[in-house]
Amino acid sequence: MINPMNNARLLPWSSPDGKPCYLAGHGNGYVSRLADNVEAAQLSSAAELIQEARPLLAGRTWTPDEVHLLACVLTASLADVHRVAESRGARLPAPDGDEPDGDAAPGGGDGGESRFPADAFV
């Protein structure tokens, strides 16, 4: 018997108690289209936030409260975008013969150097 949860889609929202929500099925119905629209809105919001954050950070005229607020909204947006990436990545077909080898660094990174410039946190 095929387990329908093997093909479940991670939805871009959580249950009231914070647990992930999943959709089983082929992805052609109302909830799937609603999830697509929510994901698109989350990605669009993240892009707008990036456009607002860059000049604020580049100007170096921010107050600690502004930086704190920016960190909070960027973190929330990053969590949304991460969830979208997780959901979409899980729905990609695995290439033939592609099995995880366990060599990847925790968190999905490659274990290499930071992608941030040396003066990013000055």
Side-chain angles (χ1 to χ4, degrees), residues 55-98:
L56 176 70
L57 293 172
R60 295 183 183 251
T61 59
W62 25 260
T63 67
D65 288 338
E66 289 172 327
V67 173
H68 181 260
L69 177 61
L70 181 60
C72 289
V73 294
L74 284 171
T75 300
S77 184
L78 182 59
D80 289 343
V81 171
H82 180 264
R83 187 181 198 99
V84 171
E86 231 183 335
S87 177
R88 292 182 180 185
R91 289 181 277 147
L92 291 174
D96 290 339
D98 187 25

CSV table of all heavy atoms in Angstrom, one decimal, residues 55-98:
chain,number,residue,atom,x,y,z
A,55,PRO,N,19.3,49.9,1.9
A,55,PRO,CA,19.6,51.3,2.2
A,55,PRO,C,19.7,51.7,3.6
A,55,PRO,O,20.6,52.4,4.0
A,55,PRO,CB,18.5,52.1,1.5
A,55,PRO,CG,17.6,51.2,0.8
A,55,PRO,CD,18.0,49.8,1.2
A,56,LEU,N,18.9,51.1,4.4
A,56,LEU,CA,18.9,51.3,5.9
A,56,LEU,C,20.3,50.9,6.4
A,56,LEU,O,20.9,51.6,7.2
A,56,LEU,CB,17.8,50.6,6.6
A,56,LEU,CG,17.8,50.7,8.1
A,56,LEU,CD1,17.5,52.1,8.5
A,56,LEU,CD2,16.9,49.7,8.8
A,57,LEU,N,20.7,49.7,6.1
A,57,LEU,CA,22.0,49.2,6.6
A,57,LEU,C,23.2,49.9,6.0
A,57,LEU,O,24.2,50.2,6.7
A,57,LEU,CB,22.1,47.7,6.4
A,57,LEU,CG,21.1,46.8,7.1
A,57,LEU,CD1,21.1,45.4,6.7
A,57,LEU,CD2,21.3,47.0,8.6
A,58,ALA,N,23.1,50.3,4.7
A,58,ALA,CA,24.2,50.9,4.0
A,58,ALA,C,24.4,52.3,4.6
A,58,ALA,O,25.5,52.8,4.7
A,58,ALA,CB,23.9,51.0,2.5
A,59,GLY,N,23.3,53.0,5.0
A,59,GLY,CA,23.4,54.4,5.6
A,59,GLY,C,24.1,54.5,6.9
A,59,GLY,O,24.6,55.5,7.3
A,60,ARG,N,24.1,53.3,7.6
A,60,ARG,CA,24.7,53.3,9.0
A,60,ARG,C,24.3,54.4,9.9
A,60,ARG,O,25.1,55.0,10.7
A,60,ARG,CB,26.3,53.3,8.9
A,60,ARG,CG,26.8,52.0,8.2
A,60,ARG,CD,28.3,52.0,8.2
A,60,ARG,NE,28.7,50.8,7.5
A,60,ARG,CZ,29.3,49.8,8.0
A,60,ARG,NH1,29.5,49.7,9.3
A,60,ARG,NH2,29.7,48.7,7.3
A,61,THR,N,23.0,54.8,9.7
A,61,THR,CA,22.5,55.9,10.6
A,61,THR,C,21.3,55.3,11.5
A,61,THR,O,20.6,56.1,12.0
A,61,THR,CB,21.9,57.0,9.7
A,61,THR,OG1,20.9,56.5,8.9
A,61,THR,CG2,23.0,57.7,8.9
A,62,TRP,N,21.3,54.0,11.6
A,62,TRP,CA,20.2,53.4,12.3
A,62,TRP,C,20.4,53.4,13.8
A,62,TRP,O,21.5,53.5,14.3
A,62,TRP,CB,20.0,51.9,11.9
A,62,TRP,CG,21.3,51.3,11.3
A,62,TRP,CD1,21.5,51.1,10.0
A,62,TRP,CD2,22.4,50.7,12.0
A,62,TRP,NE1,22.8,50.5,9.9
A,62,TRP,CE2,23.3,50.3,11.1
A,62,TRP,CE3,22.7,50.6,13.4
A,62,TRP,CZ2,24.5,49.7,11.5
A,62,TRP,CZ3,23.9,50.0,13.7
A,62,TRP,CH2,24.8,49.5,12.8
A,63,THR,N,19.3,53.3,14.5
A,63,THR,CA,19.3,53.3,16.0
A,63,THR,C,19.3,51.8,16.3
A,63,THR,O,18.9,50.9,15.5
A,63,THR,CB,18.1,54.0,16.6
A,63,THR,OG1,16.9,53.2,16.2
A,63,THR,CG2,18.0,55.4,16.1
A,64,PRO,N,19.6,51.4,17.6
A,64,PRO,CA,19.5,50.0,18.0
A,64,PRO,C,18.1,49.5,17.9
A,64,PRO,O,17.9,48.3,17.5
A,64,PRO,CB,20.0,50.1,19.5
A,64,PRO,CG,20.9,51.3,19.5
A,64,PRO,CD,20.3,52.3,18.6
A,65,ASP,N,17.1,50.3,18.1
A,65,ASP,CA,15.7,49.8,18.0
A,65,ASP,C,15.4,49.5,16.5
A,65,ASP,O,14.7,48.5,16.2
A,65,ASP,CB,14.7,50.9,18.5
A,65,ASP,CG,14.7,50.9,20.1
A,65,ASP,OD1,15.2,50.0,20.7
A,65,ASP,OD2,14.3,52.0,20.6
A,66,GLU,N,15.9,50.3,15.6
A,66,GLU,CA,15.6,50.1,14.2
A,66,GLU,C,16.3,48.8,13.7
A,66,GLU,O,15.7,48.0,13.0
A,66,GLU,CB,16.2,51.2,13.3
A,66,GLU,CG,15.3,52.5,13.4
A,66,GLU,CD,16.0,53.7,12.7
A,66,GLU,OE1,17.2,53.8,12.7
A,66,GLU,OE2,15.2,54.5,12.2
A,67,VAL,N,17.5,48.5,14.2
A,67,VAL,CA,18.2,47.3,13.9
A,67,VAL,C,17.5,46.1,14.5
A,67,VAL,O,17.4,45.1,13.8
A,67,VAL,CB,19.7,47.4,14.3
A,67,VAL,CG1,20.4,46.0,14.1
A,67,VAL,CG2,20.4,48.5,13.6
A,68,HIS,N,17.0,46.3,15.7
A,68,HIS,CA,16.3,45.2,16.3
A,68,HIS,C,15.0,44.8,15.5
A,68,HIS,O,14.7,43.7,15.3
A,68,HIS,CB,16.0,45.5,17.8
A,68,HIS,CG,15.3,44.4,18.5
A,68,HIS,ND1,13.9,44.4,18.7
A,68,HIS,CD2,15.7,43.2,19.0
A,68,HIS,CE1,13.6,43.3,19.3
A,68,HIS,NE2,14.6,42.6,19.5
A,69,LEU,N,14.3,45.8,15.2
A,69,LEU,CA,13.1,45.6,14.4
A,69,LEU,C,13.4,45.0,13.1
A,69,LEU,O,12.7,44.0,12.6
A,69,LEU,CB,12.3,46.9,14.2
A,69,LEU,CG,11.1,46.9,13.3
A,69,LEU,CD1,10.0,45.9,14.0
A,69,LEU,CD2,10.5,48.3,13.1
A,70,LEU,N,14.4,45.5,12.4
A,70,LEU,CA,14.8,44.9,11.1
A,70,LEU,C,15.2,43.5,11.3
A,70,LEU,O,14.8,42.6,10.5
A,70,LEU,CB,16.0,45.7,10.5
A,70,LEU,CG,16.5,45.2,9.2
A,70,LEU,CD1,15.4,45.3,8.1
A,70,LEU,CD2,17.7,46.1,8.7
A,71,ALA,N,16.0,43.1,12.3
A,71,ALA,CA,16.4,41.7,12.6
A,71,ALA,C,15.1,40.9,12.8
A,71,ALA,O,15.1,39.7,12.3
A,71,ALA,CB,17.3,41.7,13.7
A,72,CYS,N,14.1,41.4,13.5
A,72,CYS,CA,12.9,40.6,13.8
A,72,CYS,C,12.2,40.3,12.5
A,72,CYS,O,11.8,39.2,12.2
A,72,CYS,CB,12.0,41.3,14.8
A,72,CYS,SG,12.7,41.3,16.4
A,73,VAL,N,12.0,41.3,11.6
A,73,VAL,CA,11.2,41.1,10.4
A,73,VAL,C,12.0,40.3,9.4
A,73,VAL,O,11.4,39.5,8.7
A,73,VAL,CB,10.6,42.4,9.8
A,73,VAL,CG1,9.6,43.1,10.7
A,73,VAL,CG2,11.7,43.4,9.5
A,74,LEU,N,13.3,40.5,9.3
A,74,LEU,CA,14.1,39.7,8.4
A,74,LEU,C,14.1,38.2,8.9
A,74,LEU,O,14.0,37.3,8.0
A,74,LEU,CB,15.5,40.2,8.4
A,74,LEU,CG,15.8,41.5,7.6
A,74,LEU,CD1,17.2,42.0,7.8
A,74,LEU,CD2,15.5,41.2,6.1
A,75,THR,N,14.1,38.0,10.2
A,75,THR,CA,14.1,36.6,10.7
A,75,THR,C,12.8,35.9,10.3
A,75,THR,O,12.7,34.8,9.9
A,75,THR,CB,14.3,36.6,12.2
A,75,THR,OG1,15.6,37.1,12.4
A,75,THR,CG2,14.3,35.2,12.7
A,76,ALA,N,11.7,36.7,10.5
A,76,ALA,CA,10.3,36.1,10.2
A,76,ALA,C,10.2,35.8,8.7
A,76,ALA,O,9.7,34.8,8.3
A,76,ALA,CB,9.2,37.1,10.6
A,77,SER,N,10.7,36.7,7.9
A,77,SER,CA,10.7,36.6,6.5
A,77,SER,C,11.6,35.4,6.0
A,77,SER,O,11.2,34.6,5.1
A,77,SER,CB,11.1,37.9,5.7
A,77,SER,OG,11.0,37.7,4.4
A,78,LEU,N,12.8,35.3,6.6
A,78,LEU,CA,13.7,34.2,6.3
A,78,LEU,C,13.0,32.9,6.6
A,78,LEU,O,13.2,31.9,5.9
A,78,LEU,CB,15.0,34.4,7.0
A,78,LEU,CG,16.1,33.3,6.8
A,78,LEU,CD1,16.4,33.3,5.3
A,78,LEU,CD2,17.3,33.6,7.6
A,79,ALA,N,12.3,32.8,7.8
A,79,ALA,CA,11.6,31.6,8.1
A,79,ALA,C,10.6,31.2,7.1
A,79,ALA,O,10.4,30.0,6.7
A,79,ALA,CB,11.0,31.7,9.5
A,80,ASP,N,9.8,32.2,6.6
A,80,ASP,CA,8.8,31.9,5.6
A,80,ASP,C,9.5,31.4,4.3
A,80,ASP,O,9.0,30.4,3.7
A,80,ASP,CB,8.1,33.2,5.2
A,80,ASP,CG,7.1,33.6,6.3
A,80,ASP,OD1,6.8,32.8,7.2
A,80,ASP,OD2,6.7,34.8,6.3
A,81,VAL,N,10.6,32.1,3.9
A,81,VAL,CA,11.2,31.7,2.6
A,81,VAL,C,11.9,30.3,2.8
A,81,VAL,O,11.8,29.5,1.8
A,81,VAL,CB,12.3,32.8,2.2
A,81,VAL,CG1,13.2,32.3,1.1
A,81,VAL,CG2,11.6,34.1,1.8
A,82,HIS,N,12.4,30.0,3.9
A,82,HIS,CA,13.0,28.7,4.2
A,82,HIS,C,11.9,27.6,4.1
A,82,HIS,O,12.1,26.6,3.5
A,82,HIS,CB,13.7,28.7,5.6
A,82,HIS,CG,14.3,27.4,5.9
A,82,HIS,ND1,13.6,26.4,6.6
A,82,HIS,CD2,15.5,26.8,5.6
A,82,HIS,CE1,14.4,25.3,6.7
A,82,HIS,NE2,15.5,25.6,6.1
A,83,ARG,N,10.8,27.9,4.6
A,83,ARG,CA,9.6,26.9,4.5
A,83,ARG,C,9.2,26.7,3.1
A,83,ARG,O,8.9,25.6,2.7
A,83,ARG,CB,8.5,27.4,5.4
A,83,ARG,CG,7.4,26.4,5.5
A,83,ARG,CD,6.2,27.1,6.4
A,83,ARG,NE,5.4,26.1,6.9
A,83,ARG,CZ,5.4,25.5,8.1
A,83,ARG,NH1,6.3,25.9,8.9
A,83,ARG,NH2,4.6,24.6,8.4
A,84,VAL,N,9.1,27.8,2.3
A,84,VAL,CA,8.8,27.7,0.9
A,84,VAL,C,9.9,26.8,0.2
A,84,VAL,O,9.5,25.9,-0.6
A,84,VAL,CB,8.7,29.0,0.2
A,84,VAL,CG1,8.6,28.9,-1.3
A,84,VAL,CG2,7.5,29.8,0.8
A,85,ALA,N,11.1,27.1,0.4
A,85,ALA,CA,12.2,26.3,-0.2
A,85,ALA,C,12.1,24.8,0.2
A,85,ALA,O,12.3,23.9,-0.6
A,85,ALA,CB,13.6,26.9,0.2
A,86,GLU,N,11.9,24.6,1.5
A,86,GLU,CA,11.7,23.2,2.0
A,86,GLU,C,10.6,22.5,1.3
A,86,GLU,O,10.7,21.3,0.8
A,86,GLU,CB,11.5,23.2,3.5
A,86,GLU,CG,12.3,22.4,4.3
A,86,GLU,CD,11.9,22.4,5.8
A,86,GLU,OE1,11.3,23.4,6.3
A,86,GLU,OE2,12.3,21.5,6.5
A,87,SER,N,9.5,23.1,1.2
A,87,SER,CA,8.3,22.6,0.6
A,87,SER,C,8.5,22.3,-0.9
A,87,SER,O,8.2,21.2,-1.4
A,87,SER,CB,7.1,23.5,0.7
A,87,SER,OG,6.0,23.0,0.1
A,88,ARG,N,9.1,23.2,-1.6
A,88,ARG,CA,9.3,23.0,-3.0
A,88,ARG,C,10.4,22.0,-3.3
A,88,ARG,O,10.3,21.2,-4.2
A,88,ARG,CB,9.6,24.4,-3.7
A,88,ARG,CG,8.4,25.3,-3.7
A,88,ARG,CD,8.7,26.6,-4.4
A,88,ARG,NE,7.5,27.5,-4.4
A,88,ARG,CZ,7.5,28.6,-5.0
A,88,ARG,NH1,8.5,29.1,-5.6
A,88,ARG,NH2,6.4,29.3,-4.9
A,89,GLY,N,11.4,22.0,-2.5
A,89,GLY,CA,12.5,21.1,-2.6
A,89,GLY,C,12.0,19.6,-2.4
A,89,GLY,O,12.4,18.7,-3.1
A,90,ALA,N,11.1,19.5,-1.4
A,90,ALA,CA,10.6,18.1,-1.1
A,90,ALA,C,9.8,17.6,-2.3
A,90,ALA,O,9.6,16.4,-2.4
A,90,ALA,CB,9.8,18.2,0.2
A,91,ARG,N,9.2,18.5,-3.1
A,91,ARG,CA,8.4,18.1,-4.2
A,91,ARG,C,9.1,17.8,-5.5
A,91,ARG,O,8.6,17.4,-6.5
A,91,ARG,CB,7.3,19.1,-4.4
A,91,ARG,CG,6.2,19.1,-3.3
A,91,ARG,CD,5.1,20.1,-3.5
A,91,ARG,NE,5.6,21.4,-3.0
A,91,ARG,CZ,5.2,22.5,-3.6
A,91,ARG,NH1,4.4,22.5,-4.6
A,91,ARG,NH2,5.7,23.7,-3.1
A,92,LEU,N,10.4,18.1,-5.5
A,92,LEU,CA,11.2,17.9,-6.7
A,92,LEU,C,11.5,16.4,-6.8
A,92,LEU,O,11.8,15.7,-5.8
A,92,LEU,CB,12.6,18.6,-6.6
A,92,LEU,CG,12.5,20.1,-6.7
A,92,LEU,CD1,13.9,20.7,-6.5
A,92,LEU,CD2,12.0,20.5,-8.1
A,93,PRO,N,11.4,15.8,-8.0
A,93,PRO,CA,11.8,14.4,-8.1
A,93,PRO,C,13.3,14.2,-7.9
A,93,PRO,O,14.1,15.0,-8.3
A,93,PRO,CB,11.4,14.1,-9.6
A,93,PRO,CG,11.4,15.4,-10.3
A,93,PRO,CD,11.1,16.4,-9.2
A,94,ALA,N,13.6,13.1,-7.2
A,94,ALA,CA,15.0,12.8,-7.0
A,94,ALA,C,15.6,12.2,-8.2
A,94,ALA,O,14.9,11.3,-8.9
A,94,ALA,CB,15.1,11.8,-5.8
A,95,PRO,N,16.8,12.6,-8.6
A,95,PRO,CA,17.4,12.0,-9.8
A,95,PRO,C,17.6,10.5,-9.5
A,95,PRO,O,17.8,10.0,-8.4
A,95,PRO,CB,18.7,12.7,-9.9
A,95,PRO,CG,18.6,13.9,-9.1
A,95,PRO,CD,17.6,13.6,-8.0
A,96,ASP,N,17.6,9.7,-10.6
A,96,ASP,CA,17.9,8.3,-10.5
A,96,ASP,C,19.3,8.0,-9.9
A,96,ASP,O,20.2,8.6,-10.3
A,96,ASP,CB,17.8,7.6,-11.9
A,96,ASP,CG,16.4,7.6,-12.4
A,96,ASP,OD1,15.4,7.7,-11.6
A,96,ASP,OD2,16.2,7.4,-13.6
A,97,GLY,N,19.3,7.1,-8.9
A,97,GLY,CA,20.6,6.7,-8.3
A,97,GLY,C,21.2,7.8,-7.4
A,97,GLY,O,22.3,7.6,-6.9
A,98,ASP,N,20.4,8.8,-7.1
A,98,ASP,CA,20.9,9.9,-6.2
A,98,ASP,C,20.4,9.5,-4.7
A,98,ASP,O,19.3,9.7,-4.4
A,98,ASP,CB,20.3,11.2,-6.6
A,98,ASP,CG,21.0,12.4,-5.8
A,98,ASP,OD1,22.1,12.2,-5.3
A,98,ASP,OD2,20.3,13.4,-5.7
